[in-house]
């Protein structure tokens, strides 16, 4: 009995940790939507949600209740199994990436040595959800949105991966905890300064990767109505929504880990080891929201041009420079 | 130019025929500005064929006006371009006045000019808001609506209605401005130029905005005239045709203003023209307000103008049973308009708005024809969209500034 | 008016008459010569802006001016360069209502002519795509003709179908909203 318990304990702890992480992340995602509406509201001279609960704080919960209670409509021409599957692929891919992010030194759910690769793989996977939903809906708008999404995600995937190569070179590791430790040991404390080009490319392609303004072409509501999820309703629509914000949180967390020094800060906050991680994360999420309130949308060909003609060459240049410095110094 | 069923069937048998990727954009679509339906054939993102289909908002305004008296028919013009209803009213009144040979008092002309320019500002603000939203800039939308709200509130103070104002009438205007309204308008004209700067800082130097508008839907001056474009859409191509300058009506010959023109006629030029027009409209309102004090206390309706109210019915009205519904009361006297025909056009915010009225010398118009700028502008979409993409189509609809209420009538 | 004189000089057989109403010059043109007249007006006299094109039905006309035919097609022309206005009217008989299309001269005429066809049933010869524009494609009758009742006896046949569909979908409605009978 004792032996069984001894064997099971690490697993139980792991499951518990995973649950805690998931709940915390879900809360973050829910309140990111609230923050987005509130911040954009104030940027646009209006109030944002303020009816449900004090200052509208219960709005995300009301939204979830509403979405769950809504009828789940499946178009008669749709490919049913794929139609059901697509939102889950998006969501699972987004949520799984969280496992490898080191929130602080002693808390990374899966401290694997190829953490960066896991995240890149997962964000590629999430595009399957989008493409499949566009295909399975059997709707013209959704199909166009799916096509746009596949082209966009693939090309920006390349730029993003290349921008991270510089970080790998400098840290000499793909383990995210190791990267943070290497950053703290480096002269600038964060990689965002020596890797400024990489950081820029990463931020731009991360926005594109998560399909947010100004790269929200797959769901451009003024052209394609809602793009790939135009036929979705109820909680399936909610899952796509959730996946988008999960992607945003994951990308921000990755940027914090790889470029902004992870959990390390100028001074220790006793008792809250993940304080600096969260501060940086919130700052980046605010940046995402700010961009959305400010910029118009790119056109399809301009978007591809930006990706292939500017971002990828820049990322390659960054690799060369980093490599040269690495060899010479 | 959609193929008929037979043609499609014939093509289906052809070995080289591929089914086109047809997208039916609208009539319910967030950025077609109403119930415009576009039948699109796409090749990937490129638009191969575009056929606008209209008529979803057809209310038969022209037929209805033939069965109403001249004063009754005026309220129908409110519902044409509901964004700038005051300008529509003025156009109609000018046409009827020309038939009647009425001279409108100076103060009424000034007041009409003010409400016309207010309509222009509110229309252009709505245009900017939706155009920016279509291209993806969300914040501009709400900024513009804030200022448009202010104007609508002033409209409400002027005549009690915010959207369908029916403020001008044949022979003048309904009511004089109170001093409160004039103060409010002074405050507005004082404040508004800085608001325009706000919008411009938001989008004027934005690289993405420039990329999305420069070089899109370029149209040469000659082509634009041939396509019948008018208003800012024409002036964006460099043709300085403005009815306010070419055939001055109301108080436009008294005030100073410039007619901004573009250079190459792309979406960006049309945007610049409209932004400049906002400034000029503000300037015109300001001048008219100054002139208003000169005409303090003068009448706002011509003496010989027809009454607004239907005169008292005769004691024993000749009730004529209508074949279907109740009784249509005849026997009431209505103002009579002498025989003749006239085409009067004004510079509405969207373009040249023309009224062609034929009178047979009775109390009802024989024929009212509305030359709606939106109708013409929509007909030019297939020409403008040649060789562009779906995303540009949205920009083109936005840049032409169409209102479907006016297009379908 | 200068343009009018030139027109009469060039096409004496085409001009049927002239008039002035409210200070606006009008000229009646025979429909057989319309295309040449319009080409002349556009190319040589500079009437580059076709401001408006519409039909008028004179059935039961009580005015003093005589109307030779039932329909008239009215072209309001404007010259942006010379700031001149001219109205060209073409009488169209009821029996065989056709007019040559001016689409090749002014592209803007395309939709104007379609509307005129839709509303009056006047056919425009040489028009590239003469379809109904404002009314549904299977609409019967021409609404702006004077003998077209404001409230017709018969309803548009499709209307029944639409209403049947609405009644069928009615059971999906929430609450007690019902499709109105009648």
């Amino acid at each position: 009995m004792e032996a069984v318990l001894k064997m099971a304990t690490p697993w139980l702890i792991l499951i518990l940790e995973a649950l805690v992480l998931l709940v915390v992340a879900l809360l973050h995602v829910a309140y990111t939507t609230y923050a987005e509406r509130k911040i954009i509201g104030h940027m646009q001279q209006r109030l944002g949600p303020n009816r449900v609960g004090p200052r509208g704080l219960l709005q995300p919960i009301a939204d979830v209740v509403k979405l769950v209670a809504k009828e789940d409509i499946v178009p008669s021409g749709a490919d049913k199994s794929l139609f059901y599957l697509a939102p889950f692929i998006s969501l699972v891919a987004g949520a799984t990436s969280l496992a490898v992010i080191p929130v602080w030194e002693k808390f990374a759910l899966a401290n694997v040595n190829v953490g960066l690769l896991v995240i890149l793989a997962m964000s590629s996977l999430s595009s399957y959800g989008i493409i499949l939903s566009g295909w399975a809906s059997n709707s013209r708008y959704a199909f166009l949105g799916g096509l746009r999404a596949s082209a966009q995600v693939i090309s920006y995937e390349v730029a993003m991966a290349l921008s991270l190569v510089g970080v790998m070179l400098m840290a000499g590791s793909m383990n995210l905890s190791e990267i943070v430790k290497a950053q703290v040991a480096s002269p600038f404390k964060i990689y965002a300064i020596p890797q400024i080009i990489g950081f820029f490319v990463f931020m731009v392609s991360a926005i594109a990767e998560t399909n947010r303004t100004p790269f929200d072409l797959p769901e451009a509501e003024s052209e394609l109505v809602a793009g790939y999820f135009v036929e979705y309703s109820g909680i399936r629509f909610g899952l796509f929504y959730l996946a988008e914000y999960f992607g945003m949180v994951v990308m921000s967390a990755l940027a914090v880990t790889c470029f902004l020094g992870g959990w390390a800060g100028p001074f220790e906050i006793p008792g809250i080891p993940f304080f600096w991680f969260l501060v940086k994360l919130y700052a980046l999420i605010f940046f995402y929201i700010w961009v959305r309130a400010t910029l118009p949308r790119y056109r399809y060909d301009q978007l591809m041009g930006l990706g292939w003609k500017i971002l990828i060459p820049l990322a390659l240049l960054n690799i060369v420079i980093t490599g040269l410095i690495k060899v010479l110094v | 130019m959609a193929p008929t069923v037979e043609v499609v069937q014939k093509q289906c048998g052809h070995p080289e025929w591929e089914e086109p990727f047809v997208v039916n954009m609208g009539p319910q679509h967030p950025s077609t500005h109403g119930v415009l339906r576009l039948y699109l054939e796409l090749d990937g993102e490129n638009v191969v064929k575009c056929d606008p289909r209209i008529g979803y908002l057809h209310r038969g305004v022209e037929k209805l006006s033939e069965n109403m008296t001249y004063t009754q028919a005026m309220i129908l013009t409110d519902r044409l371009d509901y964004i700038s209803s005051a300008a529509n009213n003025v156009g109609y009144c000018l046409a009827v006045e020309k038939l009647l040979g009425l001279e409108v008092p100076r103060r009424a002309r000034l007041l009409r000019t003010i409400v016309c320019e207010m309509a222009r500002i509110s229309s252009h603000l709505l245009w900017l808001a939706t155009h920016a939203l279509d291209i993806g800039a969300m914040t501009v939308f709400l900024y513009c609506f804030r200022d448009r709200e202010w104007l609508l509130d002033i409209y409400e103070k002027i005549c009690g209605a915010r959207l369908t104002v029916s403020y001008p009438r044949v022979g003048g205007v309904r009511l004089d401005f109170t001093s409160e309204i004039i103060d409010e308008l002074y405050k507005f004209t004082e404040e508004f130029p800085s608001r325009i700067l706000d919008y411009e800082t938001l989008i004027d130097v934005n690289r993405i905005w420039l990329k999305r508008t420069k070089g899109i839907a370029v149209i040469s001056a000659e082509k634009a005239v041939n396509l019948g474009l008018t208003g800012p859409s024409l002036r964006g191509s460099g043709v300085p045709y403005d009815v306010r300058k070419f055939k001055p009506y109301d108080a436009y010959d008294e005030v100073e203003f410039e007619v901004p023109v573009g250079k190459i006629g792309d979406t960006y030029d049309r945007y610049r023209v409209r932004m400049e027009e906002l400034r000029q409209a503000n300037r015109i309102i300001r001048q008219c307000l100054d002139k208003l004090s000169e005409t303090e206390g003068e009448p706002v309706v011509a003496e010989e103008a027809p009454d607004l109210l239907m005169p008292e019915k005769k004691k024993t009205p000749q009730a004529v049973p209508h074949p279907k519904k109740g009784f249509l009361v005849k026997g009431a006297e209505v103002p009579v308009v002498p025989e003749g025909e006239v085409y009067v056009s004004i510079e509405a915010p969207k373009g040249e708005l023309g009224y062609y009225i034929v009178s047979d010398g009775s109390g009802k118009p024989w024929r009212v024809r509305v030359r709606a700028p939106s109708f013409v502008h929509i007909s030019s979409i297939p020409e403008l969209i040649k060789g562009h993409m779906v995303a540009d189509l949205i920009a083109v609809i936005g840049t032409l500034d169409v209102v479907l209420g006016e297009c379908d009538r | 008016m200068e343009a009018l004189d030139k027109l009469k000089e060039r096409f004496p057989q085409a001009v049927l008459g002239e008039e002035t109403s409210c200070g606006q010059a009008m000229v009646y043109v025979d429909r057989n010569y319309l295309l040449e007249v319009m080409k002349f007006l556009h190319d040589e006299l500079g009437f580059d802006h076709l401001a408006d094109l519409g039909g008028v039905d004179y059935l039961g006309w009580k005015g003093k001016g005589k109307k030779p035919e039932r329909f008239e097609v009215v072209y309001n022309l404007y010259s942006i360069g010379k700031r001149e206005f001219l109205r060209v009217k073409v009488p169209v008989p009821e029996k065989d209502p056709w007019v040559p299309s001016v689409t090749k001269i002014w592209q803007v005429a395309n939709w104007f002519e379609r509307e005129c066809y839709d509303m009056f049933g006047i056919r425009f010869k040489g028009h590239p795509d003469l379809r109904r524009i404002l009314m549904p494609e299977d609409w019967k009758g021409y609404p702006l003709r004077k003998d077209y009742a404001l409230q017709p006896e018969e309803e548009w046949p499709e209307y029944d179908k639409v209403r049947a569909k609405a009644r069928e979908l009615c059971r999906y409605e929430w609450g007690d909203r019902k499709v109105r009978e009648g």
Side-chain angles (χ1 to χ4, degrees):
Chain A
M1 186 65 204
E2 233 171 70
V4 173
L5 208 67
K6 214 173 185 179
M7 283 245 297
T9 311
W11 289 102
L12 280 176
I13 290 173
L14 198 63
I15 291 171
L16 200 71
E17 275 183 347
L19 271 179
V20 169
L21 186 68
L22 195 64
V23 168
V24 171
L26 272 174
L27 272 177
H28 267 86
V29 166
Y31 277 90
T32 308
T33 65
Y34 172 77
E36 173 157 36
R37 290 161 75 175
K38 209 71 182 170
I39 292 170
I40 290 191
H42 281 286
M43 283 178 176
Q44 297 172 342
Q45 320 227 340
R46 54 196 173 89
L47 293 173
N50 64 346
R51 291 284 139 171
V52 191
R55 294 182 167 271
L57 270 170
L58 297 179
Q59 186 67 42
I61 294 158
D63 284 346
V64 170
V65 170
K66 185 196 82 175
L67 283 172
V68 171
K70 282 227 164 178
E71 190 189 352
D72 181 19
I73 301 166
V74 182
S76 52
D79 187 335
K80 292 238 166 49
S81 47
L82 286 184
F83 189 82
Y84 287 139
L85 193 64
F88 289 102
I89 295 178
S90 277
L91 183 66
V92 168
T96 313
S97 321
L98 275 178
V100 293
I101 303 257
V103 178
W104 89 88
E105 203 171 351
K106 296 185 187 69
F107 191 93
L109 204 54
N111 196 1
V112 289
N113 281 334
V114 287
L116 266 181
L117 279 189
V118 169
I119 288 188
L120 289 178
M122 281 303 157
S123 77
S124 310
L125 260 186
S126 75
S127 67
Y128 273 99
I130 295 175
I131 298 165
L132 285 181
S133 68
W135 174 256
S137 302
N138 197 12
S139 151
R140 307 273 163 149
Y141 290 126
F143 184 65
L144 267 181
L147 277 184
R148 283 180 172 190
S150 53
Q152 176 179 335
V153 171
I154 288 166
S155 42
Y156 277 82
E157 192 80 34
V158 178
M160 194 168 81
L162 286 177
S163 71
L164 288 173
V165 170
V167 174
M168 293 177 208
L169 282 176
M170 288 191 73
S173 168
M174 283 216 260
N175 183 319
L176 289 168
S177 302
E178 295 296 324
I179 290 176
V180 175
K181 281 174 193 155
Q183 269 183 78
V184 177
S186 73
F188 290 107
K189 302 288 181 205
I190 53 172
Y191 280 167
I193 297 166
Q195 287 287 320
I196 183 76
I197 305 175
F199 185 53
F200 168 74
V201 173
F202 179 83
M203 281 315 285
V204 175
S205 34
I207 295 175
E209 191 75 12
T210 46
N211 297 330
R212 287 182 59 84
T213 323
F215 306 107
D216 60 341
L217 292 113
E219 52 190 82
E221 76 270 2
S222 63
E223 295 154 26
L224 302 182
V225 192
Y228 55 89
F229 57 75
V230 65
E231 299 291 347
Y232 282 84
S233 58
I235 191 61
R236 277 172 220 287
F237 169 78
L239 288 181
F240 269 122
Y241 213 70
L242 216 59
E244 185 190 322
Y245 283 89
F246 251 120
M248 199 166 118
V249 171
V250 167
M251 284 301 155
S252 307
L254 188 63
V256 170
T257 314
C258 289
F259 291 101
L260 297 178
W263 62 80
F267 52 88
E268 292 266 319
I269 302 285
I272 323 172
F274 44 81
F275 176 80
W276 289 109
F277 182 85
L278 286 185
V279 166
K280 292 168 193 170
L281 184 71
Y282 294 159
L284 283 183
I285 289 178
F286 177 78
F287 173 73
Y288 267 85
I289 295 168
W290 187 15
V291 165
R292 180 174 168 199
T294 316
L295 294 181
R297 185 182 306 120
Y298 267 110
R299 203 174 64 202
Y300 180 70
D301 57 327
Q302 294 165 347
L303 172 95
M304 299 310 259
L306 182 73
W308 289 98
K309 289 183 197 153
I310 298 176
L311 292 186
I312 290 178
L314 265 182
L316 287 173
L317 183 75
N318 181 43
I319 294 172
V320 172
I321 294 173
T322 315
L324 279 178
I325 291 173
K326 190 88 180 166
V327 171
L328 294 177
V329 179
Chain B
M1 330 313 153
T4 56
V5 181
E6 299 83 62
V7 175
V8 170
Q9 279 165 352
K10 208 182 279 176
Q11 283 170 334
C12 279
H14 199 269
E16 280 178 20
W17 190 74
E18 276 179 61
E19 195 190 341
F21 187 78
V22 175
V23 175
N24 192 19
M25 198 180 245
Q28 285 93 22
H29 190 278
S31 61
T32 51
H33 295 204
V35 284
L36 172 62
R37 177 178 160 210
L38 295 167
Y39 173 93
L40 298 176
E41 280 179 17
L42 302 182
D43 172 22
E45 287 273 325
N46 296 316
V47 179
V48 178
K49 196 193 270 179
C50 168
D51 181 21
R53 311 236 167 126
I54 57 168
Y56 291 89
L57 211 58
H58 181 57
R59 291 150 298 176
V61 166
E62 293 174 5
K63 181 83 178 172
L64 283 173
S65 333
E66 287 174 14
N67 294 280
M68 288 180 167
T69 66
Y70 282 93
T71 30
Q72 282 172 333
M74 201 199 74
I75 56 139
L76 294 177
T77 63
D78 276 326
R79 277 86 185 156
L80 293 174
D81 176 3
Y82 34 78
I83 312 295
S84 57
S85 48
N88 302 348
N89 297 153
V90 168
Y92 178 82
C93 293
L94 283 172
V96 177
E97 280 154 13
K98 201 152 187 187
L99 279 171
L100 282 166
L102 264 183
E103 186 68 28
V104 181
R106 175 149 182 258
R107 189 171 175 85
R109 281 190 280 135
L110 286 170
L111 293 180
R112 277 184 184 186
T113 312
I114 292 175
V115 289
C116 268
E117 292 306 310
M118 278 167 70
R120 190 179 316 279
I121 292 179
S122 78
S123 167
H124 280 6
L125 280 179
L126 190 96
W127 160 80
L128 179 65
T130 49
H131 190 35
L133 186 70
D134 288 348
I135 292 185
M138 202 167 112
T139 306
V140 187
F141 176 77
L142 285 137
Y143 272 55
C144 290
F145 262 68
R146 173 192 59 183
D147 297 340
R148 188 164 176 267
E149 199 63 25
W150 191 359
L151 268 179
L152 293 187
D153 284 343
I154 298 177
Y155 265 130
E156 195 175 4
K157 277 183 193 145
I158 292 174
C159 63
R162 288 159 60 84
L163 210 59
T164 51
V165 291
S166 281
Y167 172 66
R169 53 169 284 190
V170 176
V173 292
R174 261 163 225 265
L175 298 160
D176 204 348
F177 280 9
T178 59
S179 60
E180 187 196 358
I181 296 165
I182 293 174
D183 292 344
E184 187 75 23
L185 273 171
Y186 265 120
K187 219 159 88 190
F188 179 83
T189 47
E190 203 67 43
E191 177 77 23
F192 190 59
S194 69
R195 299 282 173 91
I196 303 176
L197 279 178
D198 273 3
Y199 316 137
E200 287 183 338
T201 46
L202 269 173
I203 45 181
D204 234 18
V205 288
N206 192 318
R207 283 176 57 105
I208 303 179
W209 177 266
L210 296 182
K211 268 195 160 177
R212 286 299 301 276
T213 52
K214 277 206 166 165
I216 302 299
V218 182
I219 190 145
S220 67
E222 203 177 318
K223 190 92 183 161
V225 172
N226 201 268
L227 278 171
L229 298 183
T230 44
S233 311
L234 177 66
R235 292 194 283 276
S237 298
V239 184
Y241 174 54
D242 187 323
V243 184
R244 291 175 294 175
K245 284 276 188 207
F246 278 55
K247 291 178 267 182
Y249 54 94
D250 284 345
Y252 283 111
D253 46 358
E254 292 182 36
V255 291
E256 278 177 30
F257 66 99
E258 279 150 30
V259 178
V261 288
K263 284 195 189 79
I264 57 169
D266 58 359
T267 305
Y268 182 75
D269 275 0
R270 288 186 280 268
Y271 154 74
R272 286 297 336 154
V273 165
R274 287 203 176 88
M275 291 310 270
E276 202 49 50
E277 272 189 13
L278 281 177
R279 290 207 176 81
Q280 297 300 333
N282 196 59
R283 205 172 136 201
I284 295 173
I285 294 182
R286 193 59 192 248
Q287 290 175 44
C288 287
L289 284 175
D290 290 343
K291 284 179 202 291
L292 267 188
S293 57
E294 297 166 17
T295 60
E296 199 68 62
E298 286 177 22
V300 292
V301 189
E303 264 178 42
E304 57 274 32
D307 285 335
L308 272 189
L309 298 171
M310 293 278 272
E312 291 269 321
K313 283 168 211 152
K314 285 177 187 164
K315 281 278 160 61
T316 48
Q318 292 267 312
V320 181
H322 189 264
K324 268 204 156 172
K325 287 252 167 83
F327 293 95
L328 189 72
V329 181
K330 297 266 170 92
E333 283 173 28
V334 291
V336 167
V337 172
E339 191 180 329
E341 54 196 276
V342 71
Y343 174 80
V344 169
S345 58
I346 61 155
E347 186 70 25
K350 309 269 184 298
E352 179 184 341
L353 174 73
Y355 287 93
Y356 173 63
I357 300 182
V358 181
S359 165
D360 63 344
S362 71
K364 292 174 181 175
W366 181 261
R367 169 93 165 100
V368 177
R369 160 142 180 98
V370 185
R371 188 256 191 227
S374 298
F375 183 81
V376 178
H377 288 179
I378 289 177
S379 77
S380 73
I381 289 178
E383 195 66 35
L384 285 170
I385 197 60
K386 263 182 194 164
H388 284 306
M389 295 185 160
V390 183
D392 296 328
L393 184 65
I394 305 301
V396 167
I397 299 173
T399 189
L400 287 175
D401 192 13
V402 292
V403 160
L404 269 288
E406 183 181 51
C407 172
D408 293 349
R409 283 155 289 165
Chain C
M1 211 173 114
E2 199 189 342
L4 205 53
D5 295 336
K6 273 189 191 161
L7 186 66
K8 275 191 292 188
E9 194 180 312
R10 180 78 180 267
F11 298 102
Q13 73 281 33
V15 177
L16 300 175
E18 56 179 293
E19 238 180 87
T20 309
S21 174
C22 302
Q24 294 175 337
M26 285 196 286
V27 57
Y28 288 85
V29 172
D30 188 339
R31 62 177 174 176
N32 292 310
Y33 301 98
L34 183 72
L35 261 186
E36 291 118 75
V37 169
M38 286 305 195
K39 213 169 202 107
F40 174 70
L41 284 173
H42 177 264
D43 294 347
E44 287 170 43
L45 297 186
F47 285 96
D48 43 2
H49 179 50
L50 175 61
D52 192 18
L53 189 164
V56 186
D57 181 2
Y58 285 109
L59 183 73
W61 170 254
K62 291 187 206 74
K64 289 186 203 82
K66 279 219 169 155
K67 299 296 166 192
E69 306 286 357
R70 176 173 171 185
F71 297 113
E72 267 173 16
V73 177
V74 184
Y75 301 79
N76 289 306
L77 304 178
Y78 190 72
S79 160
I80 292 177
K82 295 182 189 161
R83 306 197 177 191
E84 258 181 328
F85 180 85
L86 180 66
R87 184 177 303 134
V88 177
K89 299 185 89 177
V90 182
V92 182
E94 186 182 356
K95 284 268 171 57
D96 181 25
W98 65 266
V99 179
S101 166
V102 294
T103 328
K104 290 211 177 68
I105 305 170
W106 294 280
Q107 265 181 304
V108 57
N110 188 330
W111 276 31
F112 281 151
E113 288 178 352
R114 270 176 75 183
E115 195 199 345
C116 194
Y117 163 74
D118 192 2
M119 292 295 159
F120 292 95
I122 297 170
R123 279 174 294 108
F124 287 85
K125 278 194 181 171
H127 190 282
D129 178 38
L130 202 59
R131 279 182 291 148
R132 282 198 180 268
I133 186 163
L134 290 174
M135 309 305 282
E137 275 167 29
D138 53 350
W139 193 263
K140 285 200 185 72
Y142 302 102
L144 275 181
R145 286 189 177 185
K146 288 283 173 185
D147 50 4
Y148 188 95
L150 194 59
Q151 193 173 27
E153 295 292 319
E154 269 182 50
E155 268 170 358
W156 179 45
E158 291 291 306
Y159 190 58
D160 275 340
K161 280 189 210 162
V162 173
R163 203 156 42 194
K165 183 92 182 170
R167 230 177 253 134
E168 188 198 322
L169 294 175
C170 177
R171 58 197 162 103
Y172 298 113
E173 288 275 355
W174 285 50
D176 53 356
R177 277 199 286 155
K178 287 269 154 62
V179 177
R180 262 186 303 160
E181 299 289 323

